[in-house]
Amino acid sequence: MPIPIYAPPKARHYDVVIVGGAAVGSSVAYWLGLEAQGRLSVLVVERDSTYEFSSTALSTSAIRQQYSNPINVKISQFGIEVIRGFKERMAPYFPGEAAPDLGFKEHGYLYCTSPEGVDAARERVEMQQSHGAHTVWLEPDALLKQFPWLNVEDLGGGSWGSQAEGWFDSMGLLMGFRRGARAMGVEYIDNRVTALDVAGGKVTSVTLETGEVVSCGTLVNAAGPRAQQVAAMAGLSIPVAPFKRYSFVFSSATPIPGRMPNVIDLSGTFVRPEGPLFLTGNTPGDDGPADYDDFGPRHEEFEDAIWPALYHRIPCFDALKVQSAWTGHYEMNTLDHNGIVGFHPEVTNFMFANGFSGHGLQQSPATGRGVMELIVHGGFRTLDLTPFAYERVPANRPFLEEAVI
Ligand SMILES: Cc1cc2nc3c(=O)[nH]c(=O)nc-3n(C[C@H](O)[C@H](O)[C@H](O)COP(=O)(O)OP(=O)(O)OC[C@H]3O[C@@H](n4cnc5c(N)ncnc54)[C@H](O)[C@@H]3O)c2cc1C
């Protein structure tokens, strides 16, 4: 009887393997599923399908058009289109059930501006308007008329997005994209990518925590704040790190009448309604790269920095009580606070979808679609996302976004 020769199991092959299945990874998966209609095999590897520590789950989930770069305005406009039409878009994947409608609260954003910042702010408003945004510039008197609860004494004015800005349900977006992708044949597995094999300038396979090896045609890095860990597995580097952000939900003894927007104070503190309560956060005093697993709170941030700023800007916020708080990670691109989207020039099937620096949720629809276009068509077909290409990183050529919160 012949002795059987041991043959190692053949690695499963997928045309595209996506590392990370939260908002960005699942958006990529959704658009790939939609465009390829079964002609591509796609695998999403997600290390924690509860998404407990993902940026997507811990996000404050707002969308605005008030950016300093026209391309970011256009990306958000597509985000708005997707958010507004999400229920209809998702209906085919929720037969007999209600599809998520994301509960979009279209309350707008109000950016407070110092007297010194007026010229630059007005220029930004004009730029945004020229791209179809509904941003308007309000002088202090007009601000006070519109928002009588606002202290305008030290303001030169403010820019207000009267439409197409607000906040929505981040997990609804993620779960909708995920459900749609799966319905169109994309596979999801609960596992962690621990290593990548690179040969001949390409990622040839990914190794999973369970030891399984999966070969791939294209590798998409959608690992959020852990993007650099995944890049390093291919011997690559991007300036993306987890930065802690503390969010606080509080009640106020005095309610704010009318339709309160997301107010961005001069101090960088933001505040907006959250049902009958309010949600706030800031750029914290301990800002900087954090440990990947450090989600520890910083309660004094509210007492020391946030409340004084809130009370100054909105004097009726004199009796507040924190109801809950959580810590999340921004996936901060320390080069220029903008996303990195596109293939690596040397490891040519390694795709970045990283570094969105606190605005990745609203950018996930356009990013997913753009990444799909690069993979399927070899170039952008709708929005030209080339300003976000990786090449600017080694060239140290920042594509700076000034309007970062
Ligand atoms: C407090 C806070 C407020 C924010 N506010 C806003 C806002 O108002 N508007 C906005 O647009 N954006 C906001 N953001 C940013 C936004 O949430 C993120 O940009 C966006 O969610 C990023 O999505 P992602 O899918 O890239 O990352 P994540 O949601 O972090 O997902 C990455 C996924 O990759 C998985 N993963 C990582 N490594 C591996 C691996 N080796 N193997 C397998 N899986 C892996 C993780 O488990 C995770 O699920 C905020 C973020 C925070 C923290």
Side-chain angles (χ1 to χ4, degrees):
M1 193 164 132
I3 300 166
I5 297 167
Y6 172 73
K10 213 165 165 259
R12 276 197 288 165
H13 176 82
Y14 288 86
D15 295 318
V16 183
V17 173
I18 302 170
V19 188
V24 171
S26 288
S27 174
V28 173
Y30 167 79
W31 291 102
L32 280 173
L34 198 63
E35 188 73 3
Q37 293 293 331
R39 282 173 281 117
L40 284 179
S41 54
V42 181
L43 177 71
V44 179
V45 186
E46 172 51 59
R47 74 201 289 272
D48 174 15
S49 287
T50 70
Y51 297 107
E52 186 180 357
F53 296 106
S54 67
S55 295
T56 301
L58 299 169
S59 180
T60 50
S61 317
I63 181 163
R64 60 192 156 103
Q65 297 187 39
Q66 298 192 51
Y67 282 99
S68 63
N69 284 301
I71 185 64
N72 280 334
V73 178
K74 291 181 193 163
I75 285 174
S76 278
Q77 287 170 342
F78 181 62
I80 288 285
E81 188 186 317
V82 169
I83 290 165
R84 282 188 176 143
F86 205 66
K87 200 174 165 68
E88 293 72 37
R89 182 180 284 278
M90 287 298 133
Y93 317 118
F94 290 79
E97 286 178 65
D101 77 353
L102 305 187
F104 183 38
K105 303 280 182 300
E106 202 168 342
H107 286 220
Y109 266 68
L110 171 63
Y111 266 83
C112 298
T113 305
S114 67
E116 306 76 54
V118 167
D119 289 347
R122 293 191 78 136
E123 261 175 46
R124 276 202 294 274
V125 170
E126 278 166 29
M127 181 277 286
Q128 290 154 10
Q129 286 173 346
S130 74
H131 291 283
H134 301 274
T135 325
V136 290
W137 174 256
L138 298 177
E139 299 287 342
D141 286 355
L143 264 182
L144 197 57
K145 204 162 166 228
Q146 186 73 34
F147 307 111
W149 36 264
L150 196 74
N151 171 17
V152 299
E153 268 171 22
D154 56 346
L155 297 184
S159 55
W160 175 44
S162 57
Q163 290 175 46
E165 295 188 325
W167 47 95
F168 60 99
D169 172 11
S170 65
M171 287 308 282
L173 184 79
L174 153 52
M175 287 306 178
F177 278 146
R178 181 180 155 119
R179 175 107 162 220
R182 293 179 86 168
M184 292 183 288
V186 173
E187 288 178 47
Y188 276 70
I189 52 168
D190 293 346
N191 218 318
R192 186 166 64 91
V193 171
T194 54
L196 301 175
D197 264 338
V198 179
K202 283 189 187 294
V203 179
T204 53
S205 64
V206 313
T207 303
L208 306 180
E209 193 169 27
T210 44
E212 192 184 349
V213 175
V214 177
S215 84
C216 65
T218 297
L219 189 285
V220 179
N221 182 355
R226 292 180 185 269
Q228 170 53 23
Q229 284 185 331
V230 175
M233 293 177 201
L236 308 177
S237 179
I238 45 170
V240 175
F243 276 48
K244 286 165 79 174
R245 287 293 177 270
Y246 311 103
S247 302
F248 300 89
V249 174
F250 66 88
S251 56
S252 166
T254 314
I256 301 274
R259 203 172 167 80
M260 182 188 181
N262 196 358
V263 179
I264 316 299
D265 182 39
L266 298 180
S267 62
T269 303
F270 78 85
V271 62
R272 65 153 159 94
E274 182 74 2
L277 305 174
F278 298 89
L279 174 60
T280 186
N282 67 349
T283 302
D286 64 349
D287 202 25
D291 190 90
Y292 288 109
D293 295 308
D294 177 6
F295 289 86
R298 190 167 194 269
H299 295 295
E300 64 270 30
E301 195 65 39
F302 187 85
E303 284 298 313
D304 296 350
I306 292 179
W307 194 351
L310 291 181
Y311 178 57
H312 173 75
R313 186 59 54 216
I314 303 176
C316 69
F317 276 160
D318 55 348
L320 309 184
K321 187 163 191 292
V322 173
Q323 302 290 339
S324 62
W326 73 88
T327 305
H329 286 168
Y330 268 16
E331 74 288 30
M332 191 67 93
N333 172 356
T334 54
L335 176 70
D336 57 15
H337 306 142
N338 253 324
I340 301 170
V341 180
F343 283 114
H344 190 274
E346 280 138 31
V347 183
T348 55
N349 66 343
F350 189 109
M351 168 74 72
F352 295 101
N354 306 117
F356 299 100
S357 308
H359 45 276
L361 195 65
Q362 61 199 280
Q363 298 201 325
S364 63
T367 299
R369 186 181 63 173
V371 167
M372 172 279 286
E373 290 169 351
L374 285 182
I375 293 172
V376 175
H377 303 296
F380 294 117
R381 290 281 173 99
T382 51
L383 284 181
D384 180 5
L385 303 184
T386 42
F388 301 106
Y390 168 83
E391 280 77 354
R392 75 187 197 278
V393 172
N396 197 21
R397 222 175 35 236
F399 177 55
L400 206 61
E401 174 53 55
E402 288 160 16
V404 173
I405 304 164

